[in-house]
Amino acid sequence: MASFPHQLSGGMRQRVLIAAAVACDPRLLLADEPTTALDVTVQSQILRLIRRLSEERGMALILVSHNLGVIAQTCQRIVVMYAGQVMESGPTEAVLQTPRHPYTVGLMRSVPRADRDVDEDLPGIAGLPPDLRQPPAGCPFRLRCPHSAPVCETADVSRTLAEVAPGHMTSCVRAAELGVLHR
């Protein structure tokens, strides 16, 4: 308690912030990238702490992260967003094992994996994100999507979420036609 912030490690500062956030016993903890830039050991400790506090206190947790590994080990449900729109949502395991939106597939392909050849380039998602000051018409991912079709130019993704499996939703208007996309 008597220490100054510069006297604490990154992991200790994260713990202090978590303690401050849960001190008032909130019903909901919104954690935005709580472990970014921390080593994997400290990251694991903090994620275990957050999960334990959530369970002990009956506190809902929304974890915002670009790290799919963190999401996979921490969250029961996932919402994949692109350009401020929901692309896919559902039970974490189902979405990560059988992604049904091309953006989710692209994210999964870009995760480093131990079974890949070390000389193999990590696949990315072609193109650039849209300028959100002037969002494109239709699906915001369509300009980068390998499965884009004319229907994607007019699709209102905020209204096209459709169930593709129990509790598993996607905004891809071509999901039924494309079926399960392979990572």
Side-chain angles (χ1 to χ4, degrees), residues 128-162:
L128 296 171
D131 180 352
L132 295 182
R133 293 173 295 178
Q134 298 175 334
C139 176
F141 187 63
R142 72 179 170 78
L143 298 174
R144 301 176 76 187
C145 182
H147 305 287
S148 184
V151 67
C152 303
E153 294 177 24
T154 58
D156 182 356
V157 296
S158 66
R159 297 195 168 139
T160 58
L161 273 175

Side-chain angles (χ1 to χ4, degrees), residues 80-98:
V80 178
M81 298 186 71
Y82 181 81
Q85 299 288 327
V86 174
M87 298 290 106
E88 188 162 2
S89 69
T92 300
E93 186 176 344
V95 171
L96 297 181
Q97 292 297 318
T98 55

Side-chain angles (χ1 to χ4, degrees), residues 38-65:
L38 298 177
D39 66 73
V40 292
T41 303
V42 175
Q43 180 182 66
S44 179
Q45 291 171 348
I46 288 174
L47 292 172
R48 278 197 313 270
L49 172 65
I50 290 172
R51 274 196 318 260
R52 191 186 86 227
L53 290 172
S54 175
E55 291 166 5
E56 287 175 358
R57 295 172 177 231
M59 175 179 62
L61 170 65
I62 295 177
L63 179 64
V64 178
S65 181

Side-chain angles (χ1 to χ4, degrees), residues 66 68 80-82 87-88 95-113 116 121-127 141 144-147 170 172 178 180-183:
H66 70 282
L68 293 176
V80 178
M81 298 186 71
Y82 181 81
M87 298 290 106
E88 188 162 2
V95 171
L96 297 181
Q97 292 297 318
T98 55
R100 296 297 300 271
H101 194 283
Y103 178 59
T104 310
V105 172
L107 289 176
M108 296 302 298
R109 284 184 181 148
S110 67
V111 173
R113 294 183 3 204
R116 283 199 178 121
D121 286 339
L122 192 60
I125 298 174
F141 187 63
R144 301 176 76 187
C145 182
H147 305 287
T170 183
C172 182
L178 296 171
V180 175
L181 301 171
H182 299 286
R183 299 186 284 141

